[in-house]
Amino acid sequence: MKMAVLVRTDLDMGKGKIAAQVAHAAVSLVLEIVQKRSKAEWKEWLEMWINQGQPKIVLKVKNLDELLEKYNKALQSGLPATIIQDAGKTQIEPGTITCAGIGPGPEEMIDNITGDLKLL
Amino acid sequence: MKMAVLVRTDLDMGKGKIAAQVAHAAVSLVLEIVQKRSKAEWKEWLEMWINQGQPKIVLKVKNLDELLEKYNKALQSGLPATIIQDAGKTQIEPGTITCAGIGPGPEEMIDNITGDLKLL
């Protein structure tokens, strides 16, 4: 199991800002599965992922189009996915989509979608 | 409400690595409160924090000593707190403590402990 978070590199975000946005994506994915009525399969994947030590990768996307393309593919393939909009108090415009979270899910399903992206 | 994640600046971590460690801390704090028997107050703080849009700050600590000092102060003051050890597959030695998460909790309680630290 793993989780992938995709970060836009066309925004001017410092490393602390990026870290906060990635954390927001990871927490949102987990909460959506824990707190809402979600697929039984997603709950199983989440449990397995937690037991494996929460493996995550942080990947680059070059712009919003690439981010949305990957997000939509993740949803279509049956993976949990979320998009994060920044509150915009610092560094960037309010409402800007900064990153997308995909998973937790089986590695091969995640790799099918994100395999062409580079590590941040 | 807010959450603070404290990142060691004396380790040679790239921005993707830092983001993954900070996300690990945030997810761990949330899961410990959601899944385990935790104080009713912590569950209330978590709910309020989620409803406020999960505000987080990412702060610098200069070394392991400063990280542990802040972590211990957080525990003593009754805040949720966690320490993250890296699996060490990349960049740093396995088992290295990379960051600490504190909260979610009331802003003034967090600021009492972390107010002297700079944003990453």
Side-chain angles (χ1 to χ4, degrees), chain A residues 65-83:
Chain A
D65 283 350
E66 193 174 32
L67 184 147
L68 293 175
E69 183 209 319
K70 298 297 189 184
Y71 169 71
N72 287 321
K73 278 193 184 160
L75 289 179
Q76 284 158 19
S77 76
L79 285 162
T82 192
I83 274 179

Side-chain angles (χ1 to χ4, degrees), chain B residues 2 28 33 63 67-68 71 75 79-80 82 97-98 104 107 110:
Chain B
K2 74 179 169 190
S28 295
I33 298 170
N63 54 34
L67 184 147
L68 293 174
Y71 169 72
L75 288 179
L79 284 163
T82 192
I97 292 172
T98 55
E107 281 203 69
I110 308 265

Side-chain angles (χ1 to χ4, degrees), chain A residues 52-119:
Chain A
Q52 289 167 13
Q54 299 182 27
K56 307 174 194 65
I57 45 169
V58 182
L59 302 167
K60 299 188 221 187
V61 285
K62 62 178 183 290
N63 54 34
L64 180 61
D65 283 350
E66 193 174 32
L67 184 147
L68 293 175
E69 183 209 319
K70 298 297 189 184
Y71 169 71
N72 287 321
K73 278 193 184 160
L75 289 179
Q76 284 158 19
S77 76
L79 285 162
T82 192
I83 274 179
I84 302 304
Q85 285 187 290
D86 188 58
K89 288 172 195 155
T90 53
Q91 297 187 26
I92 55 176
E93 285 297 302
T96 305
I97 292 171
T98 56
C99 62
I102 300 174
E107 281 203 71
E108 61 279 17
M109 283 182 71
I110 308 266
D111 289 344
N112 273 346
I113 294 161
T114 63
D116 60 328
L117 301 176
K118 297 220 166 99
L119 286 171

Side-chain angles (χ1 to χ4, degrees), chain B residues 19-87:
Chain B
Q21 299 291 312
V22 169
H24 200 123
V27 168
S28 295
L29 285 169
V30 168
L31 284 175
E32 279 170 30
I33 298 170
V34 169
Q35 296 194 315
K36 298 194 182 151
R37 226 176 253 256
S38 78
K39 298 189 198 178
E41 193 174 42
W42 289 4
K43 290 189 190 284
E44 278 168 38
W45 290 347
L46 178 68
E47 277 309 309
M48 291 170 71
W49 176 74
I50 293 167
N51 292 336
Q52 290 167 12
Q54 299 183 25
K56 308 173 193 65
I57 46 171
V58 182
L59 301 167
K60 298 188 224 189
V61 286
K62 62 178 182 291
N63 54 34
L64 181 60
D65 283 350
E66 192 174 32
L67 184 147
L68 293 174
E69 181 209 321
K70 299 297 187 183
Y71 169 72
N72 287 322
K73 278 193 184 161
L75 288 179
Q76 284 158 19
S77 76
L79 284 163
T82 192
I83 273 179
I84 301 304
Q85 284 186 293
D86 188 56

